[in-house]
Amino acid sequence: KTNHYAWEPKSKAIKARGSYLRVHFKNTRETARMLKGMSLKKAQRYLNDVIEHKDAVPFTRFCKKAGRAAIGKKYKESSGNHVRFPEKSCRFLLDLLVNAESNADLQGVETDNLYVRHI
């Protein structure tokens, strides 16, 4: 039985997937939106900074009860500085990126050239 992904790449790509996760969907969605387009190393650094409360995740769609913080001023898309520090979602996504990195090593792909395209 083969795995089914939501998106199939046309070029060489590295995949990692999680299912039945015990994390909040809204926090994970907003965190994953920030990772899209980042390089693998930059995304890992960003997630570690959020876990250590050095950086924050701006909330755009699910921001009704998200608090405001001064660190949110650097993100133009966060309306009114709505930011959070979703540690559990960041730890899950960080594990997913580490899994993707090890999959790349196994396939012989350089990890310096990897970036997050679909999450």
Side-chain angles (χ1 to χ4, degrees), residues 31 38 80:
T31 308
M38 284 187 184

Side-chain angles (χ1 to χ4, degrees), residues 27-112:
N27 292 344
T28 308
R29 184 253 177 211
E30 298 286 354
T31 308
R33 186 185 60 79
M34 280 300 295
L35 298 181
K36 206 172 201 180
M38 284 187 184
S39 68
L40 185 67
K41 297 295 180 191
K42 185 176 179 183
Q44 288 175 340
R45 195 173 334 118
Y46 174 73
L47 290 174
N48 283 323
D49 286 347
V50 171
I51 290 170
E52 296 171 2
H53 290 239
K54 293 179 183 175
D55 206 348
V57 177
F59 275 57
T60 56
R61 181 176 293 177
F62 304 109
C63 63
K64 285 225 172 174
K65 293 188 179 181
R68 297 168 191 241
I71 200 167
K73 289 181 183 177
K74 68 179 184 178
Y75 300 110
K76 296 193 187 302
E77 64 266 3
S78 68
S79 57
N81 307 330
H82 292 285
V83 294
R84 281 186 179 168
F85 304 94
E87 293 181 28
K88 193 172 178 183
S89 297
C90 288
R91 284 196 180 97
F92 156 71
L93 290 172
L94 191 59
D95 289 342
L96 204 63
L97 292 178
V98 168
N99 189 2
E101 186 176 15
S102 63
N103 289 346
D105 287 337
L106 189 66
Q107 292 183 12
V109 177
E110 289 185 25
T111 57
D112 297 335

